[in-house]
Amino acid sequence: GRHEDGTLTSPDHLRIPQYNTGGKMGNGIVLRDQPGVIKSWTVSPEWLRMNVSNCTSPHNLAIVTGFGDSMRGMFNPGDPLIVDTGVKTVEIDAVFFFRVGKEGYIKRLQRIPTVNGTILRAKSANPDYDPFDIVEGMDFEVFGRVLKVWESTDY
């Protein structure tokens, strides 16, 4: 079928659109130090099958351009990340794209049991960044689970 932006999807290719950070969140969210964005990828079904496993649906995939340097060692600002927007809750320890208030984050979220129930600890790949806890009452929303990242290297 034809996408809203006019591109075609056929049996031999699938479009992975840029994650839309505006729209439903009013003014959108802040993704700090984002050096431009990747608008979309068009991939073959074989590429998807070989490279992106266990997504909720190919139609839930979105591309997010890596931002900030808190995840250096996993990806760099400007690198492509594939996110499964069908995942809206943190059921397992994994890397997620989420917001706290208007600030966007990509971090590993670890579920930690406490006396007051389970909290989420947000951990960076870059050891210069301290972990922080996401607790009851914070303005927190999961946009999706990060399934795949590519780390760019200059040659």
Side-chain angles (χ1 to χ4, degrees), residues 44-122:
S44 69
E46 298 76 35
W47 185 92
L48 203 62
R49 196 169 53 252
M50 303 291 285
N51 290 284
V52 182
S53 55
N54 66 15
C55 65
T56 55
S57 158
H59 300 290
N60 287 338
L61 296 177
I63 197 159
V64 174
T65 308
F67 56 92
D69 68 352
S70 71
M71 293 304 276
R72 260 186 214 285
M74 185 177 177
F75 62 84
N76 297 309
D79 287 352
L81 289 68
I82 291 185
V83 174
D84 185 343
T85 64
V87 178
K88 298 294 189 195
T89 58
V90 181
E91 305 295 334
I92 60 166
D93 295 3
V95 178
F96 290 87
F97 177 37
F98 62 94
R99 71 171 179 84
V100 176
K102 285 204 175 292
E103 189 90 28
Y105 296 93
I106 294 167
K107 304 246 181 255
R108 180 170 298 284
L109 292 179
Q110 182 181 358
R111 296 162 47 86
I112 304 213
T114 71
V115 175
N116 301 317
T118 302
I119 64 165
L120 298 174
R121 181 154 296 154

Side-chain angles (χ1 to χ4, degrees), residues 24-53:
K24 69 179 169 44
M25 290 162 278
N27 305 329
I29 55 168
V30 179
L31 307 182
R32 297 192 188 282
D33 305 319
Q34 191 177 40
V37 296
I38 298 166
K39 290 296 190 185
S40 70
W41 276 5
T42 303
V43 301
S44 69
E46 298 76 35
W47 185 92
L48 203 62
R49 196 169 53 252
M50 303 291 285
N51 290 284
V52 182
S53 55

